[in-house]
Amino acid sequence: MAKIIINPDRCKYCKMCVNVCPFHLIAAAQGLNRSGGRYMEQTDQEKCTGCRMCGMICPDGAISVYK
């Protein structure tokens, strides 16, 4: 089991992480960040394998993956 931490204030909602996640575990969060923008969040921690694809593709370094 792995955990994805997405910094809402660094996420620019580009959705690149959604496209590379092999298990489709990242989706839009319900809230807004401090700038009033949308951001992404992990949807199911139990299914995450910690492959780090989302962290590698993120252009803003907003994603940290912990195994």
Side-chain angles (χ1 to χ4, degrees), residues 13-46:
Y13 199 63
C14 68
K15 301 181 188 177
M16 292 177 73
C17 55
V18 173
N19 296 328
V20 299
C21 180
F23 300 105
H24 310 289
L25 303 177
I26 302 174
Q30 295 297 318
L32 301 174
N33 63 19
R34 287 190 285 177
S35 301
R38 303 282 314 260
Y39 63 94
M40 308 308 289
E41 69 181 359
Q42 183 180 22
T43 58
D44 190 348
Q45 184 176 337
E46 297 296 318

Side-chain angles (χ1 to χ4, degrees), residues 49-64:
T49 62
C51 70
R52 294 186 173 97
M53 293 296 293
C54 57
M56 289 188 284
I57 197 77
C58 181
D60 297 309
I63 302 175
S64 299

